[in-house]
Amino acid sequence: MVGVRGDFMAKSNVKKILKLVAGLCGLSTFFAIIAYGFCPKGTIERNVREEIDATPIFYSAVEKMPSLEKGYQELLKIGDGK
Amino acid sequence: MYSLHRRSIMRNSPWSDLYKKEDWWAIWFAFVVFAGAVAGIVTKVPKIGKWTVDPTDVFLTVKDGIVTGNIFISLMFLWLGLGLLTLIGIYFMKEKPGKYLLGFTVIFILSIISYALSHQKQVAAWGFGYAFWGLVVGLLISNTTGTPNWMKNGVKTEMYIKTGLVLLGAEILFNKILQLGGPGLFVAWFVTPIVIIFMFIYGVKALKIKSKSLVMVIAAATSVCGVSAAIAAAAASNAKKDELTLAVGMSLIFTVIMMILMPPFIVAVGLDAIIGAAWMGGTIDSTGAVVAAGAMLGADAEKVAAVVKMIQNILIGLVAFFIALYWVAKVERDQDNPKPSFKEIWYRMPKFIVGFLLSSLLFSFVLIPLMGADIVEKQVIGNVTEVVRNWLFCLAFVSIGLESNFKELAGQMVGGKPMILYVVGQSFNLVLTLLAAWLAFGGILWPKVM
């Protein structure tokens, strides 16, 4: 009985590990495609060329935000004719 | 089913809540980080570096193109600092400190891997950040081998999210709004509440989506600022983790699509670059993608897009507060008591939301006037609190992935209703924001900016 159960557990573990390996292969392929392969023209191509990081989820993580803010205020002043 | 936090329905909130409840611990953890940063005890928290071919480059510190050192030691200190700080809370919340520390350590390593994947230069150009990779890495483990029990002790999603949100409060600087004038404020703040309310009514009444929290999280992600708004709305509306996963996943995919398609569309139809930039600032979910898309239309357009998004970012404090208020007063109210008193609302209000607003007020109206905007923004926020907040969110996304499974996610997508909600809501957002951008930056309500 124990042997049958142990056998079943071992098969189940092998199945899980195979699933993990398959998942890792899929993930690695996806990563390789976007990291080294497909790079559409336009925004992504420019981001790569200019090393623009499009990942920040909040303004405080955008490195050049202070200069963008300053530049925006200057634009408003020009608009106001000051 | 999991929820981001379970609200006490007890009418009395004993003093012991201050050291027994996760909501309060989120505030204490964040305020310890604030105190350390303001006092100058913590001056820099390690950031994962960029890499192209060799992933080990993420551990190098580079200045002006020259390698100046590595972050191994400071990463160890970060692991130790975050681990020990949260361990105090774990101990008082009567959980198992030793097992937590082991699970936390592995989740911290998975977070480093997720961060590293997001910092490959071309991957970063696509906009697939740590939230995406954290979820994917966690989902990969939980849906193949399953998350081991010993690792589950470190999966404290709510604690990481709530602490991260209180830290995020420091980045919501109301004084900035006053400096940035009317046009950006109009585009960001006029449209956002209308879109949230429209999407909520449309999702609940027209699409008849049963989970109001799912509708609210998708609405906040679409109308405010993607991932960060989704996290705040999920925590405020007691959303399930797979609901947050779904909203974040849709937001990340549409962010990439909109970042790629909107600039060439604006050029093709001959829309004024500044109006187009304000339009993208108000509609593309993630801030990094907005700046990247704005740059495609020129230097001035980049500034306008970035600032409109920044003002929208600042709105998430108020949005989270009102969602929490609506949830305790309406959605989760006691059926026998249709009009809850102020006292009851206070008892049931998630306290970390109060911490979130308090930290925003503290930084906006006390620390900046006392210490100066430059020191607070660069040294306190930029070098410390923002970096710790990102690490906590990364830990949270790995944890969410470790707790989610594809079957539950597929269950949420039945009938494609969440996708319909996102697409209809985003379409409404696009139309309304274009109108607002034209009124604000087209020389109608304010003088043209250039």
Side-chain angles (χ1 to χ4, degrees), chain B residues 65-302:
Chain B
I66 299 161
V67 176
T68 52
N70 66 62
I71 58 166
F72 286 115
I73 303 291
S74 46
L75 269 179
M76 290 281 283
F77 273 108
L78 178 68
W79 163 76
L80 198 65
L82 277 180
L84 291 181
L85 182 64
T86 50
L87 199 66
I88 299 168
I90 292 290
Y91 173 77
F92 278 101
M93 285 187 279
K94 305 253 184 258
E95 294 193 33
K96 298 161 185 162
K99 288 183 176 176
Y100 164 75
L101 204 56
L102 176 65
F104 170 81
T105 304
V106 177
I107 293 167
F108 187 75
I109 293 167
L110 293 175
S111 299
I112 293 174
I113 294 169
S114 306
Y115 237 130
L117 290 171
S118 76
H119 274 204
Q120 199 278 350
K121 281 181 184 165
Q122 192 162 312
V123 172
W126 277 90
F128 289 110
Y130 64 74
F132 174 82
W133 295 107
L135 279 175
V136 169
V137 166
L139 281 167
L140 179 67
I141 295 170
S142 63
N143 288 276
T144 55
T145 58
T147 307
N149 283 331
W150 57 266
M151 203 193 285
K152 283 182 184 165
N153 292 302
V155 175
K156 298 287 169 208
T157 311
E158 294 90 341
M159 188 173 81
Y160 304 139
I161 286 183
K162 289 172 186 173
T163 311
L165 282 172
V166 181
L167 287 169
L168 182 68
E171 295 159 54
I172 298 170
L173 302 171
F174 286 99
N175 54 323
K176 279 192 180 291
I177 299 166
L178 305 172
Q179 297 163 8
L180 294 170
L185 197 64
F186 179 76
V187 175
W189 285 36
F190 167 71
V191 179
T192 303
I194 297 174
V195 176
I196 291 185
I197 294 166
F198 165 79
M199 285 183 73
F200 189 69
I201 294 170
Y202 177 71
V204 173
K205 304 272 183 197
L207 291 175
K208 300 196 187 309
I209 296 175
K210 281 180 190 164
S211 169
K212 287 182 179 173
S213 50
L214 172 64
V215 176
M216 185 50 88
V217 175
I218 295 174
T222 314
S223 57
V224 191
C225 48
V227 175
S228 44
I231 299 172
S237 68
N238 208 10
K240 292 167 196 157
K241 292 187 182 94
D242 48 312
E243 293 173 348
L244 177 59
T245 306
L246 189 65
V248 166
M250 286 195 297
S251 172
L252 289 170
I253 291 164
F254 278 94
T255 294
V256 175
I257 295 171
M258 289 169 77
M259 176 178 74
I260 293 172
L261 295 183
M262 284 184 82
F265 176 79
I266 288 164
V267 174
V269 298
L271 185 67
D272 179 85
I274 296 296
I275 297 174
W279 188 35
M280 293 193 296
T283 52
I284 298 177
D285 291 345
S286 140
T287 312
V290 164
V291 177
M296 286 296 288
L297 301 180
D300 289 338
E302 184 186 17

Side-chain angles (χ1 to χ4, degrees), chain B residues 34 37-38 363 367 371 375-386:
Chain B
F34 291 152
V38 170
F363 274 74
L367 292 180
M371 298 170 70
I375 291 176
V376 171
E377 286 183 40
K378 282 182 191 157
Q379 292 175 18
V380 178
I381 297 173
N383 284 346
V384 183
T385 69
E386 180 241 319

Side-chain angles (χ1 to χ4, degrees), chain B residues 18 23-24 26-28 30-31 34 165-174 317-318 321 346 350-368:
Chain B
L18 294 173
D23 273 37
W24 284 107
I27 299 174
W28 308 143
F31 275 76
F34 291 152
L165 282 172
V166 181
L167 287 169
L168 182 68
E171 295 159 54
I172 298 170
L173 302 171
F174 286 99
L318 290 175
F321 176 75
W346 166 252
K351 300 301 180 293
F352 74 93
I353 290 283
V354 179
F356 183 33
L357 288 179
L358 272 180
S359 58
S360 172
L361 296 173
L362 174 75
F363 274 74
S364 301
F365 302 113
V366 180
L367 292 180
I368 285 187

Side-chain angles (χ1 to χ4, degrees), chain B residues 404-417:
Chain B
S404 302
N405 70 61
F406 290 134
K407 275 184 193 161
E408 277 183 19
L409 283 175
Q412 293 287 356
M413 277 305 276
V414 171
K417 285 181 181 178

